[in-house]
Amino acid sequence: MTTLAIGLFLVLALLGMPLAFSLGLAALGGLAYSGIELSVLPQRMMHAVNSFPLMAIPLFMLAGELMVGGQVMQRTIDFANAVVGRVKGGLAHVTLLSGLGLASVTGAAVAGASALGTTMMPAMKKHYDVGFGSAVVASASNLGPIIPPSAAMIVYALMAGSSVSVGGLFMAGVVPGILLVVGMMGLASYIAHRKGYAPTGEPFSWQNLLIQARRAGAIILMPVVVIGGIVGGVFTATEGAAIAVVYAFIVGKWVTRKLSWNELPGCMFRAALTSAVVGALIAFATPLTFLFTIELLPLRLSEFIQGFTSNPEVFLAMVMVMLLIVGMFLESNAAYIMLVPLFAPIAMAYGIDPIYFGFLFVFNLVIGMMTPPVGVLLFVMCGIAKIPMSRLLHYVWPFIALQYLVLLLCWVFPWLVTALPHALGY
């Protein structure tokens, strides 16, 4: 039954059918073959999406759309400009810092790419090669699922069950996220010097920094309130997402005064559209994971791997290599939904910290969003910048290599991931 379902999914996916429907038809085929009542399919689908923690995803998406609709990005960019000053590669630094700020609101890479791309690419094209500018924007957008809040981590925690907390995963991304930003800023500076790009931005001034910090104060405070409340146990991740929506609306409506009532339906529609993709994947994949469970696939896989090696480091290496390959060919949300229920219990059987394993799992698949042939961020940036994929790949590979280097550091030095969550009691 499992072999039939997996084979059917691969055939349909290779034929170009959307992954959600491929998963659903594969589950339907497996149920029909096994003789199980087909009514299990809608029951499992409804049970999967009827989830309080899952509500955090559309709410964080809506908060991000409201921030974009309220033209909050411009104040964030002005503040980042004031921090960076006039240096070579300064516009790239501003983009990366703006991506860091946007990541602390939206938690999604594609939404960040759309907002950053439309905002920053016109200026990037004036000062840099369009391929370099697109690579920087794609890299900055990829901070979304790493820096808290993260939609990817919410999906992982949902699929892993009670073994890992959303708050703990959120905090696991803070130190690696900062390492990524610093590393990418250094790489952007090196490329800017090598290419001879002229310095951009105004000279650094403490007075200007204070002015821009005051203008952006309400925006900077948002992730502090939301993430701080989640980590402090004041509210759950879903309640924090609802607070983020209210906060983003207030900022856009009465602080920047750029968010009009007429824009609200558009913001809601775009957030619903993005969330529906994740919801459909989860709904259609859940019956498939149900088939895996009743055929004891997780248990059999665990016994096979433990029979192959008793060393947790070898198991972790096997999973990381597998995810590297999977991330190149499979959409990340589909990978979480299919693979987390299989490998998270095995990692616990090996005694691997669930927060550590969960973060490495997410980080590896997040990098896959920038790797060909199915790197969704690459296609988004090619569409925004109107450049061929070959030109973007010429500039983006050093940033991909840097992200894998940070992943390797997190793998070799687990305390980079676990120190902060454990210090906060996770």
Side-chain angles (χ1 to χ4, degrees):
M1 181 173 61
T2 299
T3 304
L4 173 67
I6 294 174
L8 188 57
F9 164 71
L10 292 174
V11 169
L12 292 172
L14 289 172
L15 288 174
M17 180 176 284
L19 290 178
F21 301 126
S22 300
L23 290 166
L25 286 174
L28 183 62
L31 287 171
Y33 176 78
S34 65
I36 298 173
E37 284 288 336
L38 296 184
S39 60
V40 169
L41 185 67
Q43 290 171 4
R44 289 283 164 177
M45 289 172 62
M46 185 60 194
H47 178 72
V49 294
N50 186 23
S51 166
F52 181 73
L54 194 60
M55 288 175 60
I57 294 177
L59 289 172
F60 276 126
M61 294 290 183
L62 180 56
E65 290 291 344
L66 291 173
M67 296 290 267
V68 173
Q71 297 182 25
V72 172
M73 279 300 301
Q74 190 54 53
R75 291 200 182 189
T76 307
I77 291 167
D78 291 341
F79 176 65
N81 261 317
V83 171
V84 172
R86 185 174 177 81
V87 296
K88 282 195 173 185
L91 190 58
H93 294 172
V94 169
T95 303
L96 290 164
L97 290 177
S98 300
L100 175 64
L102 190 63
S104 66
V105 177
T106 63
V110 175
S114 300
L116 275 178
T118 53
T119 307
M120 299 301 300
M121 279 311 297
M124 286 279 202
K125 289 178 179 179
K126 292 180 182 178
H127 298 280
Y128 304 141
D129 183 286
V130 66
F132 173 68
S134 301
V136 171
V137 171
S139 302
S141 305
N142 220 27
L143 293 169
I146 302 300
I147 301 292
S150 164
M153 292 179 183
I154 293 171
V155 174
Y156 180 94
L158 180 69
M159 302 311 297
S162 59
S163 63
V164 64
S165 70
V166 174
L169 279 178
F170 279 2
M171 290 299 97
V174 173
V175 174
I178 293 171
L179 283 176
L180 271 177
V181 174
V182 173
M184 289 192 291
M185 289 176 71
L187 179 58
S189 290
Y190 170 75
I191 295 174
H193 277 87
R194 197 183 67 180
K195 296 285 185 180
Y197 295 137
T200 58
E202 298 295 325
F204 179 81
S205 162
W206 283 108
Q207 182 181 5
N208 184 42
L209 178 61
L210 291 174
I211 292 171
Q212 298 304 332
R214 186 167 62 249
R215 290 185 72 242
I219 302 159
I220 298 169
L221 193 61
M222 179 178 174
V224 176
V225 171
V226 175
I227 305 303
I230 294 171
V231 173
V234 180
F235 39 76
T236 65
T238 305
E239 292 161 350
I243 291 169
V245 171
V246 176
Y247 194 108
F249 175 75
I250 292 172
V251 169
K253 187 67 179 173
W254 288 289
V255 177
T256 64
R257 299 181 181 180
K258 299 293 184 181
L259 183 64
S260 67
W261 292 106
N262 293 334
E263 290 177 357
L264 288 181
C267 292
M268 292 180 181
F269 177 76
R270 289 188 295 273
L273 195 63
T274 307
S275 305
V277 174
V278 180
L281 281 167
I282 292 173
F284 281 115
T286 301
L288 195 59
T289 58
F290 169 71
L291 293 180
F292 294 164
T293 303
I294 62 176
E295 282 216 325
L296 303 177
L297 184 61
L299 179 62
R300 292 176 181 177
L301 186 61
S302 176
E303 290 174 347
F304 171 76
I305 294 175
Q306 288 178 325
F308 177 77
T309 177
S310 59
N311 190 328
E313 291 300 325
V314 175
F315 162 74
L316 200 54
M318 291 168 58
V319 173
M320 290 298 103
V321 172
M322 181 203 68
L323 292 177
L324 189 153
I325 298 169
V326 167
M328 293 181 181
F329 297 97
L330 190 62
E331 199 273 334
S332 58
N333 284 308
Y336 299 133
I337 295 160
M338 292 183 67
L339 300 178
V340 171
L342 295 178
F343 288 102
I346 301 175
M348 289 193 67
Y350 274 101
I352 299 173
D353 188 314
I355 290 177
Y356 171 61
F357 181 78
F359 175 77
L360 292 182
F361 199 104
V362 170
F363 192 5
N364 204 326
L365 289 175
V366 165
I367 301 173
M369 299 179 73
M370 286 184 63
T371 54
V374 191
V376 62
L377 285 179
L378 302 182
F379 289 102
V380 170
M381 288 313 304
C382 285
I384 292 173
K386 295 179 173 56
I387 59 171
M389 180 68 72
S390 57
R391 189 171 181 182
L392 176 56
L393 289 175
H394 176 73
Y395 284 94
V396 83
W397 72 262
F399 291 94
I400 297 174
L402 176 66
Q403 291 183 45
Y404 276 119
L405 176 61
V406 175
L407 174 64
L408 182 62
L409 287 174
C410 293
W411 182 4
V412 175
F413 303 105
W415 57 268
L416 290 172
V417 176
T418 59
L420 185 58
H422 289 175
L424 294 171
Y426 291 103

mmCIF file of all heavy atoms in Angstrom, residues 159-185:
data_model
loop_
_atom_site.group_PDB
_atom_site.id
_atom_site.type_symbol
_atom_site.label_atom_id
_atom_site.label_comp_id
_atom_site.label_asym_id
_atom_site.label_seq_id
_atom_site.Cartn_x
_atom_site.Cartn_y
_atom_site.Cartn_z
ATOM 1 N N MET A 159 3.740 18.991 12.607
ATOM 2 C CA MET A 159 3.924 17.629 12.114
ATOM 3 C C MET A 159 4.695 16.756 13.102
ATOM 4 O O MET A 159 4.541 15.536 13.104
ATOM 5 C CB MET A 159 4.648 17.640 10.763
ATOM 6 C CG MET A 159 3.949 18.434 9.670
ATOM 7 S SD MET A 159 2.187 18.066 9.465
ATOM 8 C CE MET A 159 2.240 16.342 8.994
ATOM 9 N N ALA A 160 5.550 17.386 13.935
ATOM 10 C CA ALA A 160 6.345 16.619 14.903
ATOM 11 C C ALA A 160 5.561 16.282 16.160
ATOM 12 O O ALA A 160 5.988 15.444 16.957
ATOM 13 C CB ALA A 160 7.610 17.388 15.263
ATOM 14 N N GLY A 161 4.429 16.955 16.367
ATOM 15 C CA GLY A 161 3.632 16.683 17.554
ATOM 16 C C GLY A 161 4.165 17.396 18.780
ATOM 17 O O GLY A 161 4.778 18.465 18.696
ATOM 18 N N SER A 162 3.978 16.795 19.928
ATOM 19 C CA SER A 162 4.319 17.437 21.200
ATOM 20 C C SER A 162 5.805 17.357 21.537
ATOM 21 O O SER A 162 6.228 17.853 22.586
ATOM 22 C CB SER A 162 3.512 16.796 22.334
ATOM 23 O OG SER A 162 3.782 15.403 22.413
ATOM 24 N N SER A 163 6.618 16.750 20.671
ATOM 25 C CA SER A 163 8.034 16.561 20.991
ATOM 26 C C SER A 163 8.831 17.860 20.946
ATOM 27 O O SER A 163 9.919 17.941 21.500
ATOM 28 C CB SER A 163 8.662 15.552 20.023
ATOM 29 O OG SER A 163 8.619 16.031 18.689
ATOM 30 N N VAL A 164 8.309 18.895 20.284
ATOM 31 C CA VAL A 164 9.046 20.147 20.148
ATOM 32 C C VAL A 164 8.059 21.302 20.203
ATOM 33 O O VAL A 164 6.921 21.198 19.737
ATOM 34 C CB VAL A 164 9.839 20.162 18.809
ATOM 35 C CG1 VAL A 164 8.915 20.132 17.611
ATOM 36 C CG2 VAL A 164 10.768 21.362 18.726
ATOM 37 N N SER A 165 8.486 22.411 20.818
ATOM 38 C CA SER A 165 7.617 23.578 20.943
ATOM 39 C C SER A 165 7.934 24.598 19.862
ATOM 40 O O SER A 165 9.083 24.727 19.429
ATOM 41 C CB SER A 165 7.785 24.231 22.325
ATOM 42 O OG SER A 165 9.056 24.842 22.425
ATOM 43 N N VAL A 166 6.914 25.338 19.452
ATOM 44 C CA VAL A 166 7.106 26.389 18.458
ATOM 45 C C VAL A 166 8.047 27.467 18.998
ATOM 46 O O VAL A 166 8.962 27.924 18.304
ATOM 47 C CB VAL A 166 5.753 27.009 18.056
ATOM 48 C CG1 VAL A 166 5.960 28.199 17.128
ATOM 49 C CG2 VAL A 166 4.874 25.974 17.371
ATOM 50 N N GLY A 167 7.849 27.855 20.255
ATOM 51 C CA GLY A 167 8.706 28.884 20.857
ATOM 52 C C GLY A 167 10.164 28.473 20.895
ATOM 53 O O GLY A 167 11.059 29.285 20.636
ATOM 54 N N GLY A 168 10.420 27.203 21.220
ATOM 55 C CA GLY A 168 11.794 26.717 21.252
ATOM 56 C C GLY A 168 12.446 26.755 19.884
ATOM 57 O O GLY A 168 13.603 27.158 19.739
ATOM 58 N N LEU A 169 11.694 26.349 18.846
ATOM 59 C CA LEU A 169 12.219 26.411 17.481
ATOM 60 C C LEU A 169 12.460 27.849 17.057
ATOM 61 O O LEU A 169 13.453 28.152 16.379
ATOM 62 C CB LEU A 169 11.240 25.737 16.514
ATOM 63 C CG LEU A 169 11.294 24.209 16.414
ATOM 64 C CD1 LEU A 169 10.221 23.705 15.460
ATOM 65 C CD2 LEU A 169 12.660 23.728 15.950
ATOM 66 N N PHE A 170 11.538 28.750 17.434
ATOM 67 C CA PHE A 170 11.729 30.168 17.107
ATOM 68 C C PHE A 170 13.067 30.669 17.650
ATOM 69 O O PHE A 170 13.847 31.303 16.943
ATOM 70 C CB PHE A 170 10.593 31.005 17.703
ATOM 71 C CG PHE A 170 9.321 31.014 16.894
ATOM 72 C CD1 PHE A 170 9.213 30.275 15.723
ATOM 73 C CD2 PHE A 170 8.231 31.752 17.306
ATOM 74 C CE1 PHE A 170 8.037 30.275 14.974
ATOM 75 C CE2 PHE A 170 7.059 31.788 16.570
ATOM 76 C CZ PHE A 170 6.964 31.038 15.401
ATOM 77 N N MET A 171 13.321 30.372 18.925
ATOM 78 C CA MET A 171 14.544 30.871 19.548
ATOM 79 C C MET A 171 15.797 30.200 18.975
ATOM 80 O O MET A 171 16.874 30.787 18.963
ATOM 81 C CB MET A 171 14.488 30.648 21.069
ATOM 82 C CG MET A 171 13.480 31.534 21.782
ATOM 83 S SD MET A 171 13.860 33.308 21.573
ATOM 84 C CE MET A 171 12.775 33.753 20.207
ATOM 85 N N ALA A 172 15.647 28.978 18.479
ATOM 86 C CA ALA A 172 16.788 28.276 17.875
ATOM 87 C C ALA A 172 17.294 29.005 16.639
ATOM 88 O O ALA A 172 18.467 28.887 16.274
ATOM 89 C CB ALA A 172 16.392 26.850 17.514
ATOM 90 N N GLY A 173 16.433 29.769 15.977
ATOM 91 C CA GLY A 173 16.830 30.453 14.753
ATOM 92 C C GLY A 173 17.510 31.785 14.949
ATOM 93 O O GLY A 173 18.034 32.361 13.981
ATOM 94 N N VAL A 174 17.554 32.295 16.178
ATOM 95 C CA VAL A 174 18.070 33.653 16.403
ATOM 96 C C VAL A 174 19.568 33.748 16.118
ATOM 97 O O VAL A 174 20.015 34.569 15.299
ATOM 98 C CB VAL A 174 17.762 34.119 17.843
ATOM 99 C CG1 VAL A 174 18.453 35.455 18.125
ATOM 100 C CG2 VAL A 174 16.262 34.252 18.047
ATOM 101 N N VAL A 175 20.375 32.925 16.767
ATOM 102 C CA VAL A 175 21.840 33.002 16.595
ATOM 103 C C VAL A 175 22.255 32.632 15.170
ATOM 104 O O VAL A 175 23.021 33.369 14.543
ATOM 105 C CB VAL A 175 22.561 32.118 17.643
ATOM 106 C CG1 VAL A 175 24.063 32.080 17.373
ATOM 107 C CG2 VAL A 175 22.283 32.639 19.051
ATOM 108 N N PRO A 176 21.773 31.509 14.611
ATOM 109 C CA PRO A 176 22.118 31.215 13.212
ATOM 110 C C PRO A 176 21.652 32.306 12.254
ATOM 111 O O PRO A 176 22.336 32.608 11.266
ATOM 112 C CB PRO A 176 21.397 29.891 12.937
ATOM 113 C CG PRO A 176 21.245 29.254 14.278
ATOM 114 C CD PRO A 176 21.012 30.390 15.215
ATOM 115 N N GLY A 177 20.501 32.916 12.534
ATOM 116 C CA GLY A 177 20.010 33.994 11.677
ATOM 117 C C GLY A 177 20.945 35.189 11.684
ATOM 118 O O GLY A 177 21.228 35.789 10.631
ATOM 119 N N ILE A 178 21.444 35.542 12.863
ATOM 120 C CA ILE A 178 22.392 36.652 12.965
ATOM 121 C C ILE A 178 23.702 36.304 12.252
ATOM 122 O O ILE A 178 24.293 37.141 11.555
ATOM 123 C CB ILE A 178 22.651 37.003 14.450
ATOM 124 C CG1 ILE A 178 21.377 37.577 15.083
ATOM 125 C CG2 ILE A 178 23.800 37.994 14.589
ATOM 126 C CD1 ILE A 178 21.457 37.755 16.576
ATOM 127 N N LEU A 179 24.154 35.060 12.422
ATOM 128 C CA LEU A 179 25.365 34.617 11.712
ATOM 129 C C LEU A 179 25.183 34.728 10.199
ATOM 130 O O LEU A 179 26.100 35.161 9.482
ATOM 131 C CB LEU A 179 25.690 33.164 12.076
ATOM 132 C CG LEU A 179 26.340 32.900 13.434
ATOM 133 C CD1 LEU A 179 26.500 31.398 13.644
ATOM 134 C CD2 LEU A 179 27.684 33.591 13.537
ATOM 135 N N LEU A 180 24.003 34.362 9.716
ATOM 136 C CA LEU A 180 23.714 34.451 8.289
ATOM 137 C C LEU A 180 23.787 35.896 7.805
ATOM 138 O O LEU A 180 24.397 36.182 6.765
ATOM 139 C CB LEU A 180 22.317 33.884 7.995
ATOM 140 C CG LEU A 180 22.196 32.404 7.696
ATOM 141 C CD1 LEU A 180 20.726 32.033 7.512
ATOM 142 C CD2 LEU A 180 22.977 32.039 6.436
ATOM 143 N N VAL A 181 23.161 36.803 8.540
ATOM 144 C CA VAL A 181 23.147 38.215 8.134
ATOM 145 C C VAL A 181 24.556 38.777 8.094
ATOM 146 O O VAL A 181 24.963 39.424 7.112
ATOM 147 C CB VAL A 181 22.252 39.042 9.074
ATOM 148 C CG1 VAL A 181 22.357 40.528 8.737
ATOM 149 C CG2 VAL A 181 20.807 38.598 8.976
ATOM 150 N N VAL A 182 25.315 38.532 9.155
ATOM 151 C CA VAL A 182 26.696 39.050 9.208
ATOM 152 C C VAL A 182 27.536 38.453 8.087
ATOM 153 O O VAL A 182 28.294 39.161 7.407
ATOM 154 C CB VAL A 182 27.323 38.741 10.588
ATOM 155 C CG1 VAL A 182 28.805 39.117 10.601
ATOM 156 C CG2 VAL A 182 26.591 39.505 11.686
ATOM 157 N N GLY A 183 27.408 37.137 7.884
ATOM 158 C CA GLY A 183 28.174 36.489 6.827
ATOM 159 C C GLY A 183 27.812 37.003 5.444
ATOM 160 O O GLY A 183 28.702 37.260 4.613
ATOM 161 N N MET A 184 26.521 37.194 5.179
ATOM 162 C CA MET A 184 26.095 37.677 3.862
ATOM 163 C C MET A 184 26.497 39.132 3.645
ATOM 164 O O MET A 184 26.811 39.533 2.520
ATOM 165 C CB MET A 184 24.584 37.483 3.693
ATOM 166 C CG MET A 184 24.195 36.024 3.525
ATOM 167 S SD MET A 184 22.491 35.726 2.996
ATOM 168 C CE MET A 184 21.582 36.250 4.443
ATOM 169 N N MET A 185 26.511 39.934 4.706
ATOM 170 C CA MET A 185 26.988 41.320 4.570
ATOM 171 C C MET A 185 28.472 41.345 4.227
ATOM 172 O O MET A 185 28.919 42.131 3.380
ATOM 173 C CB MET A 185 26.706 42.104 5.851
ATOM 174 C CG MET A 185 25.224 42.404 6.071
ATOM 175 S SD MET A 185 24.867 43.231 7.651
ATOM 176 C CE MET A 185 25.541 44.861 7.334
#
